[in-house]
Amino acid sequence: MTNTVLLDTIAHADLRVAIGHAARFGDAVNQCVVFPTEFEAAQRDYPIVFRRDAEGSFYAVALLGLDRDENLFLDPRGWDARHIPALHQRGPFLIGMVDRDGVSEPEPMLHVDLDHARIGATDGQPVFLPHGGQSPYLDHIVKVLRVIHDGIAMRAPMFAAFEQAELIEPVTLDIALDEETHYSVPDCFTIGPERLARLDAAALDALHRAGFLQHAFLVASSLGNVTRLIELKNRKRRAG
């Protein structure tokens, strides 16, 4: 259940939000949606693959673990990675469209879920400064939400460009931890390196002008991080 309301400087003047990462905050997941606006940061830590939603549209996910509810980057100290996906940074905040006068176009406004597990921590980060104004924490959240908002807007045209260039191909990740323990991650898609290499000058130029060529290379190279997942999984097995 959620209790999402428009964030208000008066009504929520004393609001505090717990920071850090743990299973109780919803961080124990084996994959997370990521947006084109964070591909450059995310590909340093995670394999990025594509999936299809119920309507057949593509979206991107970062692989975080191999078993259900397993985030191999999460430990008792928090989330151990250089980049934490934006959806796991935003906490209880989100952007909602508000119709102010019934005439103009609805405006994107900052909302907060008051039933979120992070809300109400006495030692949490303040959302507003004591004498008014946004706290540094809220400034950070606004930047994170912009990554999500802009990334959602970029997603459809990016995948359309990838499909136009015939770059997307299905892939099943077969992961061997040792001679006896294997994992298969089905229903994934990726950018085919060979397909990238076959692009002609016109296709390369079109992707570059659209701003999506770098994203294609980032996704293709990110699969090298599967070895990192294997290392983390084997370390967890030895410790357990």
Side-chain angles (χ1 to χ4, degrees), residues 30-100:
N30 65 5
Q31 66 179 27
C32 173
V33 171
V34 291
F35 303 97
T37 40
E38 59 180 328
F39 278 6
E40 183 174 3
Q43 61 86 31
R44 297 172 186 151
D45 291 299
Y46 317 110
I48 299 172
V49 297
F50 304 149
R51 294 193 181 276
R52 286 188 185 271
D53 62 20
E55 287 72 42
S57 298
F58 285 110
Y59 62 99
V61 300
L63 299 181
L64 309 176
L66 299 176
D67 285 309
R68 183 181 178 87
D69 300 328
E70 176 185 67
N71 183 346
L72 292 169
F73 299 87
L74 193 66
D75 61 32
R77 298 168 297 176
W79 194 309
D80 185 15
R82 287 164 291 187
H83 175 73
I84 298 171
L87 284 180
H88 286 268
Q89 291 190 57
R90 73 174 183 179
F93 299 97
L94 65 155
I95 294 176
M97 304 305 291
V98 176
D99 187 352
R100 287 186 173 275

Side-chain angles (χ1 to χ4, degrees), residues 69-187:
D69 300 328
E70 176 185 67
N71 183 346
L72 292 169
F73 299 87
L74 193 66
D75 61 32
R77 298 168 297 176
W79 194 309
D80 185 15
R82 287 164 291 187
H83 175 73
I84 298 171
L87 284 180
H88 286 268
Q89 291 190 57
R90 73 174 183 179
F93 299 97
L94 65 155
I95 294 176
M97 304 305 291
V98 176
D99 187 352
R100 287 186 173 275
D101 54 20
V103 178
S104 305
E105 289 291 323
E107 299 178 39
M109 302 289 287
L110 195 57
H111 289 63
V112 60
D113 175 12
L114 296 177
D115 286 345
H116 195 279
R118 293 182 180 274
I119 290 292
T122 56
D123 59 347
Q125 288 292 312
V127 175
F128 296 105
L129 298 174
H131 302 295
Q134 294 184 174
S135 69
Y137 168 70
L138 188 56
D139 287 340
H140 170 71
I141 292 299
V142 169
K143 293 177 182 177
V144 169
L145 292 176
R146 188 172 296 118
V147 168
I148 296 172
H149 185 263
D150 293 348
I152 290 173
M154 186 187 296
R155 185 162 53 188
M158 182 191 74
F159 281 116
F162 288 169
E163 289 188 277
Q164 176 67 30
E166 299 182 342
L167 288 177
I168 301 177
E169 64 182 21
V171 62
T172 296
L173 299 182
D174 293 314
I175 300 172
L177 302 185
D178 53 36
E179 292 183 358
E180 299 179 352
T181 309
H182 298 258
Y183 285 85
S184 179
V185 184
D187 303 321

